[in-house]
Amino acid sequence: MSDTPYYPMTREASCPFAPAAAIREAEPVSRVRIWDGSTPWFVTRHADQRALLNDPRLSIDEKKPGYPHMTRSRAAIAPHIPELITNTDPPEHTRLRRTVNGPFMVKRVEALRPRIQETIDGLVDEMLAGPNPVDLVEAIGLPVPTLVITRILGVPYADHAFFQAASRRAISHDTDPEAGAKAGQDLGEYLGALLTRKIAEPADDVLSEMGARVTAGEMTFAEAVTMGSAILIAGHETSASMISLGTLALLHNPDQLALLRANSDDPRFVAGAAEELLRYLTIVHTGIRRIAVEDIELHGAVIKAGDGVIFDLGGANYDPAAYPEPDRLDLTRPARTHHAFGYGAHQCLGQSLARVELQVVYGTLYRRIPTLALAVPFEEVEFAMEGVAYGLKSLPVTW
């Protein structure tokens, strides 16, 4: 099997994760060939992923020879990237995560809920007052998480066109190494200048907090800049995809959309619906990758030290042993154990923020616009895979 993305809801496949399903049943751990010709191991079962993502015999250090990089561009720049929470193992990972964990803890994120609600209400007001039909990606999908993460991080929203474009170039599968490095450099220079200003004139934001840690010698300037870049990219790309794709999934499953509308005033139901949509869509398919530092035996196979390992999150989230009838969207399903945010020590830093954003959007958008509908046939909706997550190029809607 090649390392090729596949998309739920497209007309090309009746079961969105059919390739992984076939491998999961026949060979739960097997070899796959990726872009550079290497053949890392491919882990598809939910229980196996839970065990391995907590196994210290696997490393996230992308600078080790044999690490199964997602793109040619990432492989080229990996040796030059400072240590981050995304490429270090404990105890260094523990130290670095502690420097940025505070603003993303559940209590602090929950305190943002009223502001996030104001943001979505304002965007819906603008959408209803503007042209009809409209592209939901541009009207709601991208603005919500971008407005939120820029406020948290301390980045001017007015610069969103620049950093969204730089982010896409930096992580795109189609970007050549030179262009990817240039995009990362541009973003780093932008955030470096901003961090310098925050150190001189701190505010109530994450960049200022990291600036204080730089001044105190708890992290380096380069670490803070690279961490800021990672937070900015991850903080808007994946949530934007989930908002638009979640809407498409619900419009494609009108019985589930009706159920969500009927229960939109029940926070527990909306929270559960968000978890099921995260499971069902699993927008980061094979973005979680590791390299073995010791031999590991699994289902009769031996993952040897130096072998790369790819975790197929869609395979786990569609594993019938964990989720009966997994290819059916069921908003009443208990789905909190999904792997859409990964699992273990490196589970997504921003998962609490993403959950609140999705709960607010899913609980608001379809209630306020009860006649929301696709403005084009479902078959004409264009999917996109430009970075670690898949999404939509556009989502024309009407009401």
Side-chain angles (χ1 to χ4, degrees), residues 233-243 283-284 348 354 358 388-390:
I233 292 172
H236 78 269
E237 184 200 16
T238 51
S239 291
S241 294
M242 273 300 304
I243 290 169
I283 60 172
V284 179
C348 176
L358 295 177
V388 297
Y390 85 97

Side-chain angles (χ1 to χ4, degrees), residues 11-68:
R11 61 187 182 277
E12 286 81 8
S14 57
C15 177
F17 295 101
I23 290 179
R24 183 180 58 236
E25 300 310 315
E27 285 185 281
V29 57
S30 56
R31 295 276 196 171
V32 291
R33 188 175 304 280
I34 63 173
W35 61 270
D36 62 354
S38 64
T39 54
W41 294 95
F42 196 60
V43 180
T44 56
R45 290 185 180 177
H46 189 274
D48 293 339
Q49 291 189 14
R50 291 239 148 182
L52 289 175
L53 286 170
N54 269 327
D55 194 321
R57 293 175 294 178
L58 289 179
S59 171
I60 200 173
D61 185 356
E62 63 180 332
K63 298 181 183 183
K64 291 183 181 296
Y67 188 91

Side-chain angles (χ1 to χ4, degrees), residues 40-119:
W41 294 95
F42 196 60
V43 180
T44 56
R45 290 185 180 177
H46 189 274
D48 293 339
Q49 291 189 14
R50 291 239 148 182
L52 289 175
L53 286 170
N54 269 327
D55 194 321
R57 293 175 294 178
L58 289 179
S59 171
I60 200 173
D61 185 356
E62 63 180 332
K63 298 181 183 183
K64 291 183 181 296
Y67 188 91
H69 293 284
M70 180 173 279
T71 66
R72 188 181 306 277
S73 177
R74 185 69 183 187
I77 66 174
H80 313 291
I81 296 175
E83 293 185 334
L84 290 168
I85 59 175
T86 55
N87 64 7
T88 54
D89 302 309
E92 185 63 6
H93 170 266
T94 308
R95 177 188 74 83
L96 289 169
R97 185 144 182 154
R98 194 178 296 123
T99 64
V100 291
N101 203 40
F104 298 97
M105 296 182 74
V106 173
K107 285 187 177 180
R108 287 184 65 174
V109 169
E110 279 296 331
L112 296 173
R113 190 181 288 268
R115 292 176 62 183
I116 297 172
Q117 185 67 60
E118 290 176 6
T119 298

